[in-house]
Amino acid sequence: MIDMQQLYFGNIALDPNRQRQIVYYGRVSTEHEAQLAALGNQMQWYEDQTRYHPNWTVVDQYIDEGITGTLAKKRPAFMRMIEDAKRKKFDLIVTREVCRFARNTVDTLVVTRELKNYGVEVYFVSDNIWTMDGDGELRLTLMATMAQEESRKISERVLAGQAVSRENGVLYGNGNIIGYDRVDGTYVINPEQAVTIRTVFELYSQGLGQKEIVNELTRLGYKDGGGNVKWSCVKISRILRNATYMGYICYNKSKVNNFLEKKRIKNLNEDTFILKKGDFEPIVSEALWRQCELIRKSRIRMRKMPTGEERRQGTRIIQHLWVRKLCCRCGAGYNRFKWRTLRDGTPVYGYQCNFRTQNPARSFVERHQIAGQKSCDAISICEWKLDLMAKLIFDQLWGDQQESVLKACQMVESCIHAASAQTDAEMAEFQNKLDKLEQRLLNLGQMRADGELTKEQFQKLYDQATRELESLKAQQGEKKKPEQNHNFDLAKIKKGLAQMIDISAPRISDELIDEFVEVITPVENHHYRWMLSFGTLKVGQERTNLLETENPPVLTFTINFETARQYRCANKMPPQFRRCDWQDLTVEVYL
């Protein structure tokens, strides 16, 4: 029995003419007819080799068609051959040359070393390399490096060819695009589908969102590219982003990461897209397409996901106050949903974490031990509980501000009257000085006429008086009397402010919350952190960073069942409220 470790280190010399159980491996990189014909030639060549070696018994042959050679794991026949080697089905692999085996130096060496451990040798016929020879690995390394370099050069030639194709406006893909039919290598407008495309762009340019467009197309019965009335926001987004509809070909939407792995990745940087004017008729005008593009980009912002990855996120005008203020501890936003409907038909709304609704719950992940799956365990929040927390916070921090508002309005009013009176006095004083200077100029003219002043004396005094007059007129222009008909009604302002800050009502006004509440985050279930701001409100990621504050809370309190019950009674909410279902809420307030 031969020890494979001894064989690996070359301690045992084997008879080269011994009986061998062999397999052939062949590969072509594309499914083009010429390449497939070349593969047939390869296999014929292998059969000829068998006749030259009567001690070979062919066990099987492995063929990869239309497969790249730069990565072993992308070749199914190759991987199946390795598995069969582990099962000792053969002891020799015969392949024509190193570049047919692999174009990746690392793969070549790793695989041949692995095969040695299984007692399997590889014979590269054209290069005359036997991997179990003393210098086999050295020669194989050199040849594999040359094969990898050739692969790099091929990759560069392909990229250069693609650049030429872009300059010539060559269409890529199978032409499967709604609105067009692919005819003789170019696009021809499909009249029925083109109506749908124009409708999408016109509706979007009018301010409708993608979901609203989906609903409208469904209502109108417009069909998608598959002939079905089945629309989604994804389909609408693809249409709006496709420059083909304005008569351009868009390149560089995806790219290969490197010539070894050849993994195609989507290019998310739209600034690097290459647009080339096509030779086909556009469905929409370039002006309309670019107008929609500006609208679409204005609704996009970057958001940092819980995984640390930054992704683009569409934005829309959020109608609900608490959706604008809530931010989950995982970093995601919230959406509003109908919690239930009461017996009288009144809906009860709640808010839930977007990330949790789109991913498995943490309990599910932990129960099934799913590695690498991000999750969030934040529970939903009932809307009336947010209203209750806001009421108690402003009751304790704000207090009764009615008297302060009245005093502030009286101060503003008195300041306006005082400013007006002061302006009147200043205007009268300016007018008096102007009258005196004008009279002085008249007197100087009379004195010159009477011969009391020489020409030089008159000119000097006249210039001095003129400069003073011009200076006064300039100052008068800067201090014009304000119009008595102001652009605001003080009585209406007083009334509006009083209503806005009136916290005696059962529910705090949306205006007050929107103005001073920065962000609300459930740091734990039933434990909420409120961040108040008396400066400029922040948005997006800048807003969520406020949660990292090290300042102590200015207010902390707990809401028990009795407090919640009294609030519900004051707001005439349904009496179905049980103590056994209640859990106290902890609230922290930060500035």
Side-chain angles (χ1 to χ4, degrees):
M1 186 72 180
I2 297 175
D3 187 345
M4 298 312 303
Q5 291 295 324
Q6 290 180 329
L7 178 63
Y8 178 82
F9 288 106
N11 294 332
I12 294 180
L14 295 178
D15 179 10
N17 296 319
R18 69 187 184 280
Q19 290 296 318
R20 308 295 296 269
Q21 303 292 314
I22 77 157
V23 296
Y24 292 123
Y25 177 73
R27 177 188 64 81
V28 291
S29 56
T30 70
E31 294 181 352
H32 193 274
E33 289 183 5
Q35 289 283 344
L36 294 179
L39 178 61
N41 294 335
Q42 285 187 49
M43 303 315 297
Q44 180 63 44
W45 186 84
Y46 288 139
E47 292 176 3
D48 293 340
Q49 290 295 315
T50 306
R51 289 195 293 269
Y52 302 148
H53 298 82
N55 60 318
W56 288 1
T57 301
V58 179
V59 176
D60 202 349
Q61 60 184 17
Y62 300 88
I63 304 170
D64 279 315
E65 300 178 11
I67 302 295
T68 177
T70 53
L71 209 58
K73 64 183 180 182
K74 287 187 176 181
R75 292 182 280 164
F78 186 88
M79 298 307 296
R80 190 173 70 254
M81 180 179 67
I82 301 301
E83 290 299 318
D84 289 345
K86 293 180 182 179
R87 301 185 183 97
K88 311 292 184 182
K89 288 187 176 182
F90 48 83
D91 59 11
L92 177 63
I93 297 173
V94 177
T95 188
R96 186 166 184 170
E97 51 192 347
V98 175
C99 65
R100 296 296 94 195
F101 192 76
R103 288 188 183 272
N104 185 326
T105 305
V106 174
D107 276 352
T108 302
L109 296 177
V110 169
V111 171
T112 53
R113 288 171 181 172
E114 181 183 359
L115 290 170
K116 280 184 181 180
N117 290 330
Y118 304 147
V120 177
E121 188 174 17
V122 182
Y123 174 40
F124 300 96
V125 180
S126 297
D127 304 308
N128 194 28
I129 297 176
W130 297 77
T131 55
M132 287 190 181
D133 282 354
D135 62 347
E137 183 166 308
L138 173 61
R139 295 171 60 200
L140 178 61
T141 302
L142 296 174
M143 296 303 298
T145 303
M146 293 173 63
Q148 179 172 310
E149 178 63 15
E150 178 62 22
S151 180
R152 185 189 65 79
K153 291 179 180 179
I154 292 174
S155 179
E156 289 180 351
R157 289 195 291 269
V158 170
L159 292 176
Q162 290 176 349
V164 174
S165 297
R166 287 196 294 267
E167 287 297 322
N168 295 331
V170 175
L171 291 176
Y172 291 157
N174 58 10
N176 183 20
I177 172 175
I178 181 174
Y180 286 104
D181 296 323
R182 185 77 172 265
V183 180
D184 297 331
T186 188
Y187 288 134
V188 176
I189 292 179
N190 182 312
E192 181 182 355
Q193 295 179 351
V195 173
T196 302
I197 300 302
R198 294 189 187 100
T199 302
V200 170
F201 280 93
E202 289 169 0
L203 292 176
Y204 197 74
S205 67
Q206 294 168 12
L208 273 68
Q210 294 180 11
K211 183 62 177 176
E212 294 172 305
I213 295 176
V214 167
N215 295 337
E216 184 64 13
L217 294 181
T218 303
R219 184 187 68 81
L220 294 173
Y222 286 172
K223 296 179 180 179
D224 60 11
N228 305 309
V229 184
K230 189 176 181 181
W231 292 97
S232 66
C233 291
V234 173
K235 292 180 180 179
I236 302 300
S237 177
R238 286 175 179 170
I239 290 173
L240 293 170
R241 289 183 286 111
N242 198 333
T244 306
Y245 296 121
M246 67 168 177
Y248 282 77
I249 306 171
C250 185
Y251 298 106
N252 205 32
K253 287 185 176 181
S254 63
K255 56 186 178 181
V256 175
N257 59 342
N258 57 64
F259 74 95
L260 292 177
E261 293 181 338
K262 292 189 177 179
K263 180 180 179 182
R264 183 158 292 278
I265 56 177
K266 188 175 182 180
N267 183 12
L268 298 178
N269 185 2
E270 296 182 2
D271 294 335
T272 62
F273 288 178
I274 300 173
L275 296 180
K276 178 72 174 179
K277 185 68 175 178
D279 60 354
F280 51 88
E281 184 181 354
I283 294 179
V284 299
S285 67
E286 184 173 345
L288 177 59
W289 190 91
R290 295 199 181 278
Q291 178 188 354
C292 293
E293 179 74 354
L294 288 175
I295 295 173
R296 185 181 67 85
K297 287 188 174 180
S298 69
R299 297 177 179 178
I300 294 175
R301 61 186 173 90
M302 300 303 294
R303 185 170 189 84
K304 191 172 184 180
M305 302 302 291
T307 59
E309 177 187 7
E310 281 196 352
R311 289 187 180 178
R312 296 180 302 176
Q313 174 177 301
T315 59
R316 60 187 176 91
I317 300 175
I318 300 174
Q319 303 297 331
H320 303 292
L321 172 68
W322 297 120
V323 174
R324 295 200 300 269
K325 301 301 179 182
L326 285 165
C327 179
C328 186
R329 54 180 171 268
C330 72
Y334 273 73
N335 65 77
R336 189 174 189 245
F337 70 100
K338 185 183 289 187
W339 197 301
R340 63 178 178 270
T341 302
L342 302 178
R343 294 177 182 176
D344 61 357
T346 303
V348 177
Y349 292 98
Y351 299 85
Q352 56 190 353
C353 170
N354 286 323
F355 189 79
R356 175 164 183 174
T357 59
Q358 298 169 7
N359 294 274
R362 180 165 298 175
S363 57
F364 179 88
V365 173
E366 293 174 350
R367 185 167 63 253
H368 293 83
Q369 299 180 347
I370 304 176
Q373 174 64 53
K374 300 295 182 179
S375 59
C376 178
D377 61 350
I379 62 174
S380 300
I381 309 169
C382 202
E383 189 171 65
W384 71 267
K385 292 182 180 179
L386 293 168
D387 293 336
L388 168 58
M389 287 186 275
K391 171 67 175 171
L392 297 178
I393 289 172
F394 280 90
D395 276 347
Q396 297 185 55
L397 289 182
W398 198 260
D400 187 3
Q401 300 294 323
Q402 291 280 0
E403 185 177 352
S404 299
V405 169
L406 292 175
K407 287 183 178 179
C409 289
Q410 289 172 359
M411 292 173 63
V412 170
E413 190 172 10
S414 63
C415 287
I416 290 175
H417 292 322
S420 180
Q422 182 180 1
T423 303
D424 287 341
E426 290 177 351
M427 293 294 291
E429 183 180 355
F430 271 111
Q431 191 59 47
N432 186 36
K433 290 181 178 180
L434 286 173
D435 293 342
K436 289 182 177 180
L437 281 172
E438 289 174 353
Q439 186 60 45
R440 186 193 302 178
L441 289 173
L442 292 174
N443 293 337
L444 288 173
Q446 187 64 40
M447 293 173 69
R448 172 66 180 135
D450 294 341
E452 297 179 12
L453 294 174
T454 64
K455 181 179 179 180
E456 292 76 11
Q457 291 174 332
F458 169 78
Q459 191 64 47
K460 182 178 179 180
L461 294 173
Y462 180 84
D463 292 343
Q464 180 181 352
T466 302
R467 285 195 298 270
E468 292 181 13
L469 182 62
E470 291 175 352
S471 176
L472 279 176
K473 286 182 177 180
Q475 294 179 39
Q476 184 185 34
E478 295 174 358
K479 295 189 177 183
K480 286 184 179 179
K481 184 177 181 180
E483 296 180 5
Q484 295 299 323
N485 185 20
H486 298 291
N487 293 327
F488 54 86
D489 188 327
L490 195 58
K492 288 184 179 180
I493 292 177
K494 187 186 301 183
K495 181 179 179 181
L497 284 173
Q499 291 176 349
M500 190 182 79
I501 66 168
D502 182 14
I503 62 172
S504 63
R507 186 180 181 280
I508 302 298
S509 69
D510 287 353
E511 292 82 4
L512 195 62
I513 295 172
D514 198 27
E515 182 68 27
F516 296 107
V517 175
E518 181 76 44
V519 61
I520 308 165
T521 295
V523 291
E524 295 177 0
N525 291 338
H526 311 292
H527 182 178
Y528 300 92
R529 175 177 294 176
W530 288 58
M531 188 76 68
L532 304 186
S533 174
F534 296 97
T536 303
L537 293 181
K538 298 177 176 60
V539 295
Q541 190 61 35
E542 186 181 8
R543 183 187 72 173
T544 59
N545 287 339
L546 292 174
L547 299 178
E548 301 172 2
T549 179
E550 297 180 356
N551 298 328
V554 297
L555 178 64
T556 303
F557 60 91
T558 301
I559 303 175
N560 55 30
F561 173 81
E562 187 59 31
T563 303
R565 188 190 65 80
Q566 292 175 4
Y567 176 80
R568 290 175 62 88
C569 290
N571 284 272
K572 299 180 181 180
M573 299 175 69
Q576 294 90 353
F577 185 57
R578 294 173 293 188
R579 186 183 296 272
C580 61
D581 296 331
W582 174 259
Q583 291 194 32
D584 290 351
L585 305 177
T586 301
V587 181
E588 296 177 357
V589 182
Y590 293 79
L591 297 177

